[in-house]
Short mmCIF file of all heavy atoms in Angstrom, two decimals:
data_model
loop_
_atom_site.label_atom_id
_atom_site.label_comp_id
_atom_site.label_asym_id
_atom_site.label_seq_id
_atom_site.Cartn_x
_atom_site.Cartn_y
_atom_site.Cartn_z
N ARG N 10 65.70 115.71 88.50
CA ARG N 10 64.68 115.45 87.48
C ARG N 10 64.97 114.16 86.74
O ARG N 10 64.08 113.35 86.48
CB ARG N 10 64.61 116.61 86.49
CG ARG N 10 63.51 116.45 85.44
CD ARG N 10 63.70 117.37 84.25
NE ARG N 10 64.89 117.05 83.49
CZ ARG N 10 64.98 116.04 82.61
NH1 ARG N 10 63.95 115.24 82.42
NH2 ARG N 10 66.10 115.83 81.94
N THR N 67 72.33 107.53 81.88
CA THR N 67 73.61 107.90 81.28
C THR N 67 73.40 108.71 80.01
O THR N 67 74.13 109.68 79.74
CB THR N 67 74.43 106.63 80.97
OG1 THR N 67 74.64 105.90 82.19
CG2 THR N 67 75.78 106.98 80.35
N LEU N 83 85.39 121.91 95.40
CA LEU N 83 86.40 121.06 94.77
C LEU N 83 87.67 121.84 94.45
O LEU N 83 88.78 121.31 94.55
CB LEU N 83 85.85 120.41 93.50
CG LEU N 83 84.67 119.46 93.70
CD1 LEU N 83 84.26 118.85 92.36
CD2 LEU N 83 85.02 118.36 94.70
N THR N 88 93.57 117.34 94.54
CA THR N 88 92.87 116.22 93.90
C THR N 88 93.10 114.89 94.62
O THR N 88 92.23 114.01 94.58
CB THR N 88 93.32 116.06 92.43
OG1 THR N 88 94.74 115.91 92.39
CG2 THR N 88 92.92 117.28 91.62
N VAL N 93 84.83 110.81 95.04
CA VAL N 93 83.39 110.74 94.82
C VAL N 93 82.96 109.31 95.13
O VAL N 93 83.53 108.35 94.60
CB VAL N 93 83.01 111.12 93.38
CG1 VAL N 93 81.56 110.74 93.08
CG2 VAL N 93 83.22 112.62 93.15
N ALA N 102 78.15 107.85 86.45
CA ALA N 102 78.85 108.85 87.26
C ALA N 102 79.66 109.79 86.39
O ALA N 102 79.60 111.02 86.55
CB ALA N 102 79.75 108.15 88.28
N GLY N 110 80.02 119.76 84.21
CA GLY N 110 81.25 120.54 84.03
C GLY N 110 82.21 120.44 85.19
O GLY N 110 83.06 121.32 85.37
N LEU N 117 87.22 107.49 92.18
CA LEU N 117 85.79 107.41 91.89
C LEU N 117 85.29 106.03 92.34
O LEU N 117 85.64 105.01 91.76
CB LEU N 117 85.52 107.61 90.40
CG LEU N 117 84.06 107.48 89.93
CD1 LEU N 117 83.17 108.49 90.65
CD2 LEU N 117 83.97 107.66 88.42
N ALA N 183 74.73 120.39 109.21
CA ALA N 183 73.98 120.30 107.96
C ALA N 183 73.92 121.68 107.32
O ALA N 183 73.81 122.70 108.02
CB ALA N 183 72.57 119.77 108.20
N GLU N 193 89.34 124.24 103.28
CA GLU N 193 90.70 124.75 103.15
C GLU N 193 91.67 123.59 103.34
O GLU N 193 91.40 122.66 104.11
CB GLU N 193 90.98 125.83 104.20
CG GLU N 193 90.08 127.05 104.08
CD GLU N 193 90.27 128.02 105.25
OE1 GLU N 193 90.96 127.64 106.22
OE2 GLU N 193 89.73 129.13 105.19
N HIS N 200 90.44 121.21 106.15
CA HIS N 200 89.57 121.75 107.20
C HIS N 200 88.25 122.19 106.57
O HIS N 200 88.24 122.78 105.49
CB HIS N 200 90.23 122.93 107.91
CG HIS N 200 91.65 122.64 108.31
ND1 HIS N 200 91.98 121.96 109.44
CD2 HIS N 200 92.82 122.94 107.68
CE1 HIS N 200 93.30 121.85 109.53
NE2 HIS N 200 93.83 122.43 108.46
N ARG N 202 84.79 124.39 107.39
CA ARG N 202 84.14 125.34 108.30
C ARG N 202 82.72 125.57 107.80
O ARG N 202 82.51 125.80 106.61
CB ARG N 202 84.91 126.64 108.38
CG ARG N 202 86.28 126.49 109.05
CD ARG N 202 87.01 127.81 109.13
NE ARG N 202 88.21 127.70 109.96
CZ ARG N 202 89.38 127.21 109.53
NH1 ARG N 202 89.49 126.81 108.27
NH2 ARG N 202 90.41 127.12 110.33
#
Side-chain angles (χ1 to χ4, degrees):
R10 183 197 66 79
T67 301
L83 296 182
T88 56
V93 167
L117 177 59
E193 298 173 351
H200 312 279
R202 293 181 171 81

